[in-house]
Amino acid sequence: MEKEIALELRNITKRFGSKVVANKNVNLTVYKNEILSLLGENGSGKTTLMNMISGIYFPDEGEILVNGEPAVIASPKDAYNYKIGMIHQHFKLVETFSAAENIILGNGEPYKLKNVNSRVREIASKYGFDIDPGKKIHEMSVSEKQTVEIIKALYRGADILILDEPTAVLTPQEIEKLFGVLRRMKEDGKAVIIITHKLNEVLEISDRVAILRKGEYIGTVETAETDEKQLTEMMVGKKVDLKIERVKIEKKKPLLEIRDLTVKSDAGNIAINNVSFYIRGGEILGVAGIAGCGQKELCEAIAGLRRPESGHIMHKGESIVGLPAREIIKKGISMSFIPEDRLGMGLAPSFSMTDNMMLKTYNEGITPFVNRKSARQRAAALIEKLGIVTPSTETPVRRLSGGNVQKILVGREIESGPNVIVTAYPVRGLDINSSYTIYDILNEQKKKDVGILFVGEDLDVMLALCDKIMVLCHGEVMGVVHASKTTKEELGLMMTGSLDLKQEKEYGKAKDSNLTDEQWNEADENSEEKEGEQ
């Protein structure tokens, strides 16, 4: 049976200025009743291409055909008229409105909320969503918010759906539920396009995979006839080693100890509640949890950007709790912080890469003059090492793709030579090649006896990279487990609070910072035996 074409792109080209060609002569076909994954490195033009389909950008050359007919898509409203809906990674929802109010918002038609609620429940029942139309957005989990966005597109009649990194912050159980919904949408005749960097998910959910490289279309392969190695080589253009090494380091005394820490959120709620753990030098401690479970507040408290309500933060036995970041630096403690909000907190968007390299060192020394030459050299070295795509070291970072911005932030923080690294989602938005570069860099730091707190969202990566994983749920520790002795399913249950591995004698709680190396090793071995008994 011949497949029916839902969407076709012919020779699509998009330029930004005279030098940047985001897409060049891209040809792509999407069929009804299929799930197509779109892969490519950072800066390969994936999001730009999808933004042209969804009406955010307009192509400079080429044409778009919907159901075999030429389509002019000059705005998101035009896209909806062609029954195209895009679910962005960062949701476009009004927090104080209910699900139903957000779904109907901007529809431009008179409505009765009772009828909207009924229609929402009808859509939810058809595709397997779980949603309360009257629930406020600010009361929802990330998964529920995503559901609202998808139903909003379906409510407006979308037959072609584009999802940008839809699994980025979901638990394994939530991902499986989403995939079930997408399969039902496919069976209903929808065409689904997924932008993602997670190759294992690509192989699980998609029918075909299309690859872009440096803005150009490389090809499309049948998912059943490919593997991670081939897809990576098509994306990068060369062979890439996809193995994450868990470096074995001789156990050291704890470098960073957190005792009974309680931290409030910006809204004044308890975000971290009586949390205790430690990180050894030469150890990567992963932190897993659903978005909003307190990871952000925990990282900011350790980095000196948020004052705890109570508890202790000890660095080599010395308390740094409540000290601002500059005071921590004055004590000679070299701590690097890679925040979740890379442009809001990590970098100055309007500054160049050179100037952003100088942010942590601009006031060093007694001279009022700054050494931009040294900063420019360090920026150039990072461009070479991490493959950062930028016109020059003097280009404002806000003009770069999200992945390249992330590389600059990670590179700058690690380049400063820390002995503690606190990092939240360091590979978010990065392609697989760049991600593995970051994993290698973190392992290099681990070999230098750096203690690393790694907040991540890809459980497969955390299981391969981290030595231990601490799971948070609603600001509380559900347990700390050795990565080699747990599973994604167990971590997912802990993330949702369905499994609590805490015992009377909490694993990870530092009792005495003056223990000898031998005593710390014995305590760690006892904790491993204890986990084996659970």
Side-chain angles (χ1 to χ4, degrees), residues 92-106 111 113 116-121 123-124 129-141 143-153 155-156:
K92 316 293 183 183
L93 300 171
V94 180
E95 292 284 319
T96 54
F97 283 15
S98 69
E101 289 169 334
N102 271 279
I103 288 167
I104 199 67
L105 188 65
Y111 68 92
L113 205 54
V116 177
N117 290 344
S118 176
R119 175 63 179 147
V120 168
R121 291 192 181 96
I123 294 172
F129 292 109
D130 183 13
I131 187 172
D132 175 3
K135 191 173 183 179
K136 302 291 186 184
I137 300 299
H138 67 83
E139 299 172 338
M140 293 183 174
S141 67
S143 177
E144 289 175 309
K145 292 177 182 179
Q146 184 182 73
T147 295
V148 174
E149 287 282 24
I150 296 173
I151 292 180
K152 182 166 68 174
Y155 187 96
R156 302 181 185 198

Side-chain angles (χ1 to χ4, degrees), residues 284 287 295-305 325 334-347 360 382 386 402-430 434-435 437-439 441-443 445 450-457 465:
I284 301 178
V287 180
Q295 310 104 311
K296 176 176 179 286
E297 289 81 4
L298 175 63
C299 291
E300 290 178 2
I302 294 173
L305 301 177
S334 180
M335 183 185 298
S336 284
F337 178 39
I338 303 166
E340 180 179 352
D341 185 359
R342 54 197 175 209
L343 282 180
M345 183 178 292
L347 299 169
K360 296 182 74 170
L382 276 186
L386 300 183
N404 285 302
V405 170
Q406 186 75 342
K407 289 182 190 179
I408 293 171
L409 175 57
V410 172
R412 184 195 68 187
E413 291 301 305
I414 291 177
E415 189 257 358
S416 65
N419 62 9
V420 174
I421 297 174
V422 178
T423 172
Y425 313 110
V427 299
R428 177 176 283 176
L430 297 186
S434 301
S435 296
T437 299
I438 299 300
Y439 305 146
I441 289 174
L442 291 177
N443 270 326
Q445 297 300 306
V450 174
I452 302 170
L453 185 74
F454 180 94
V455 179
E457 55 197 7
L465 178 70

Side-chain angles (χ1 to χ4, degrees), residues 253-257 277-281 283 285 451-453:
K253 289 174 65 174
L255 188 61
L256 191 70
E257 301 168 53
F277 62 93
Y278 62 81
I279 306 175
R280 296 173 180 274
E283 177 180 72
L285 174 66
I452 302 170
L453 185 74

Side-chain angles (χ1 to χ4, degrees), residues 210-243:
I211 294 94
L212 298 181
R213 189 196 310 151
K214 296 181 179 178
E216 298 188 37
Y217 173 69
I218 300 302
T220 301
V221 295
E222 297 287 334
T223 306
E225 299 173 0
T226 189
D227 56 24
E228 290 190 8
K229 183 179 179 182
Q230 181 190 13
L231 293 175
T232 303
E233 289 179 8
M234 291 179 71
M235 279 194 295
V236 180
K238 61 182 179 180
K239 291 185 178 181
V240 177
D241 184 2
L242 295 178
K243 183 180 178 181

Side-chain angles (χ1 to χ4, degrees), residues 34 49 78 122 145 199 203 226 237 247 262 269 301 315 317 349 366 421 427 441 450 505:
E34 84 159 349
L49 190 66
D78 289 341
E122 181 183 328
K145 292 177 182 179
L199 296 185
L203 295 172
T226 189
V247 179
T262 296
N269 303 316
H315 181 275
I366 57 175
I421 297 174
V427 299
I441 289 174
V450 174
K505 185 178 178 182

